[in-house]
Amino acid sequence: MLKHATAWSVVQLPGGVLEWTSPTGQLYRDIPTSSVLFEPDADWNDAFANANANAAANAKVAANATATANANANANAGFDSGEDDPPPF
């Protein structure tokens, strides 16, 4: 571990390479072992597409259920049970 008051210096080069200079002037390169590369996975893309298709189908079912509920409410809007008192609960 290096302290904040040291004769070592560091410069970051392209590709994440760190070039350290010792107090004696010797150079040390710290080269990363690997780079992270994200590539789309076909299985993941298929799962994502299926999830989107299921969400769209679920939204359509929900919209149909709402329309049916609204139609039923409108059909029962003029219904009179003949009772003026609300139910006892």
Side-chain angles (χ1 to χ4, degrees):
M1 176 181 229
L2 297 174
K3 299 284 183 177
H4 66 280
T6 180
W8 285 82
S9 64
V10 64
V11 175
Q12 185 170 6
L13 302 175
V17 175
L18 298 177
E19 188 174 72
W20 293 88
T21 305
S22 73
T24 61
Q26 198 165 5
L27 294 177
Y28 298 91
R29 285 195 173 190
D30 184 14
I31 300 172
T33 56
S34 67
S35 297
V36 177
L37 177 63
F38 294 99
E39 292 183 10
D41 184 23
D43 293 339
W44 185 87
N45 285 335
D46 291 343
F48 186 72
N50 290 339
N52 283 340
N54 289 340
N58 289 341
K60 187 174 181 179
V61 167
N64 288 341
T66 301
T68 301
N70 288 340
N72 289 341
N74 289 338
N76 293 330
F79 178 73
D80 183 13
S81 65
E83 299 177 11
D84 292 333
D85 296 330
F89 48 79

